[in-house]
Amino acid sequence: MESRYSFVRKDIVNEQPPPLTQAGLTGWLWRNLFSSMTNFTSLTASFQSILMVFLTFWLVYFCGGLLYSVIDFAILSAVWSDPDGVKRQVCATVKQGGELPADWYGACWPFIFAKKKFLIYGRIPTEELWRANLVYAGLVLGMGYIIWEKGQGRKWVGLIMLTIFPVASLILLTGANFEINNQLFIWTGVLFAIVFILGFLSSRNYLGEIFEQFSILFNFISLILLSFFILLLLFSIDYGLAPIDTLDWGGLLLTLLIAITGIVASLPFGILLALGRRSDMPIARVLCTMFIEFWRGIPLITVLFAASVLIPLFLPAGADVDKLLRAVIGIILFSSAYMAEVIRGGLQAIPRGQYESASAVGLSYSQSMRFIILPQALTHVLPGIVNTFIGLFKDTTLVSIIGIFEVMGIFRSASQDANWGSHVQHATSYLVAAIVFFVFCFGMSRYSMYIEDKLSRENK
Amino acid sequence: MNASQAEKANNISKMKVSDEIVIEISNMNKWFGHFHVLRDIDLVVNKGERIVICGPSGSGKSTLIRCINRLEEHQKGIIKVDDVELNDDVKKIDKIRSEVGMVFQSFNLFPHLSALENCTLAPIWVRKMPKKDAEELAMKYLEIVKIPEQALKYPGQLSGGQQQRVAIARALCMEPKIMLFDEPTSALDPEMIKEVLDTMIELAEDGMTMIVVTHEMGFASKVANRVIFMDEGQIIEQNSPKEFFNNPKSDRTKLFLSQIIDH
């Protein structure tokens, strides 16, 4: 007997396209724009819809207007060339002695073109620019190769970029041939020999149990001393390059130099500080905590002033440390403290079971950190790390206040140039500075998002 | 436990235990702050023994086996593993840990490494084995735990039972002399418990020295050669499983057994 609910389908329903409000461009517009302003079923809903219509139009009008004024300033109304070489007058209105209408307001690009060399290299003499160009080329090629995922041996290129490249760049940019005190050479050499022999003997267990535990530390210190010795040697050689004062470096070259040095150095220091702060050893913990809290507690401007004004007062006469070097060290210490706290957050997110199972299979502390804990912790806090990098990149602008001319400093000094004095000089400078910083920071941000995405895909 | 398991288990319980001592714990005490977790523990484990430790939660059974590979530090008494006394010497601890495998309740696999990499990591870096040999070894043990086809998957892609078997393989790759199991099936669904217990029974058949903290009384009665009952940080009773389950001596043991058998 047939039940009340029995049913057999006779005609098969074919696949049909979705309604216009669902798919494609119309669907997108419907979901994101019109769905909120087409409900007129009740008084309140109609009121809301009308409000949304006004709000949408106003936003479009406002943003469009803003965008138009920027485009108008930078492109449409801008002055692009100075064929007669009149400098100031090319961007001046009739009243100011030029030919432009009285209400003209636009970018003065000839001014930027004229300052191009200054913006990219600072005050490096023109005949020595090839040295800076080599550094730029090495940087672009090296970084490009590391980012290019199909490249063979990216690890080795990375290693070269972290070791040989910075040394070669500094030699190129300074000209090396420094006069280095012989005593410094001798002392470094002697110290290296002592520590190296200590490390060798203790790792072979000639000096007893207590020394054996420190053999890694000895080896580490002797490696640092050896690198220092080699560096001293390399920088004392005469390569036939004309010397360039570090205070003549400037512009983008200097911004990149400070930012990249800070970024590359603050990550390992930050990791060490974070591990130290979570260490079981009270001395390490207290020292790292004090270090972090000290550097986090003072503003970067203070650090830079101290580096440029205070430290020379404490150094013995004659022992002059380069002003730029002092500033860079200050920035590294400062950002390491921030980095340490970001990484500590990642370490705390790792469950205790990971530490335990790493120990249980017999991995030593450094092995479990290297293979188990840090890869996971750093992945967790990648957004925070890149955030710190971007912050650091922008903080480099502060060094201009102690007379080091990175991008902002160059712009500030360029816009004081009376030869180009006009009412748009500052606005043009700041627009270009904003574009330069935005390109680098946005690039870092996108690249980190790509890496995050890649890592999360790999682990699923 | 099903018929085939029971049959295997029956054979295991008849296996001989050697006279060689692998773990010797005497008069061991441990405190967490003011809390006296382990009190006067004396325990000698011979090679090839299968010991099950049971007891109510908070009785210190996990802490006891975690002391054996120094995941927890004891404050008084002596623990000797393979004739090496456990103290603050980091080198000794690392050596003992490489000879004592451990399986955790929550698996604790390394989520950023594949099953195979989980297994090869310690052989490569602790045993200094070439990568190829380590991978062969890992595949051998992944086959023993019956999941060679999952070798390239990440822990997040595996079921609980599969994860726990990878964890067992990871511990076995160090070719340990002793295996410690800390409630290996407590976080698993009933069907997955079986696959993990099967693996453990096979290990027992191969003569592995095992100390297992578990609530699986079926496993205890058929595989163990000795059952230890703990309460309030002390060993209350230890006996062969037959005697322990059929003829418990202490009132505390009787109460515990009556409570778990009620369900």
Side-chain angles (χ1 to χ4, degrees), chain A residues 116-332:
Chain A
K116 194 174 59 186
K117 188 224 127 193
F118 203 35
L119 291 176
I120 300 176
Y121 307 100
R123 288 190 301 248
I124 295 178
T126 317
E127 63 276 13
E128 305 295 344
L129 284 188
W130 62 272
R131 286 152 64 177
N133 281 335
L134 260 181
V135 173
Y136 269 124
L139 190 68
V140 171
L141 287 178
M143 298 260 278
Y145 195 81
I146 293 168
I147 289 172
W148 184 48
E149 281 174 9
K150 285 174 193 145
Q152 294 289 311
R154 286 160 68 210
K155 262 186 199 167
W156 296 109
V157 177
L159 199 64
I160 290 171
M161 289 302 286
L162 287 176
T163 51
I164 298 172
F165 176 72
V167 177
S169 303
L170 284 181
I171 289 173
L172 271 172
L173 290 178
T174 56
N177 197 13
F178 292 119
E179 269 183 44
I180 289 165
N181 197 332
N182 275 335
Q183 278 191 334
L184 191 59
F185 263 118
I186 295 166
W187 279 113
T188 315
V190 169
L191 215 60
F192 163 71
I194 294 173
V195 181
F196 179 78
I197 292 169
L198 259 176
F200 180 79
L201 290 179
S202 52
S203 67
R204 294 288 154 93
N205 211 355
Y206 290 130
L207 299 177
E209 290 270 318
I210 304 165
F211 276 93
E212 203 195 347
Q213 290 181 3
F214 292 108
S215 65
I216 296 174
L217 188 69
F218 285 138
N219 289 338
F220 183 67
I221 295 174
S222 64
L223 189 71
I224 290 178
L225 285 170
L226 182 65
S227 332
F228 186 64
F229 187 80
I230 293 174
L231 279 181
L232 285 180
L233 205 66
L234 284 173
F235 279 98
S236 65
I237 295 173
D238 183 4
Y239 297 92
L241 296 167
I244 305 175
D245 191 349
T246 55
L247 291 179
D248 286 341
W249 302 356
L252 189 62
L253 182 71
L254 190 58
T255 293
L256 288 178
L257 189 128
I258 299 173
I260 293 175
T261 315
I263 284 172
V264 170
S266 68
L267 189 63
F269 282 134
I271 290 174
L272 288 179
L273 284 170
L275 291 177
R277 194 169 182 173
R278 283 174 56 80
S279 157
D280 292 331
M281 286 181 278
I283 298 174
R285 193 171 56 230
V286 168
L287 284 178
C288 290
T289 310
M290 275 168 56
F291 181 94
I292 292 169
E293 296 304 340
F294 173 77
W295 289 101
R296 281 206 307 172
I298 48 176
L300 184 55
I301 292 210
T302 320
V303 176
L304 293 173
F305 270 126
S308 83
V309 182
L310 280 181
I311 289 178
L313 296 179
F314 295 120
L315 286 173
D320 181 37
V321 179
D322 186 81
K323 187 181 183 182
L324 177 63
L325 183 63
R326 276 179 270 143
V328 169
I329 290 174
I331 288 176
I332 289 174

Side-chain angles (χ1 to χ4, degrees), chain A residues 274 278 339-350 377 380-381:
Chain A
R278 283 174 56 80
M339 190 56 75
E341 288 299 279
V342 171
I343 291 166
R344 190 166 66 93
L347 291 174
Q348 266 160 359
I350 306 296
H380 286 321
V381 293

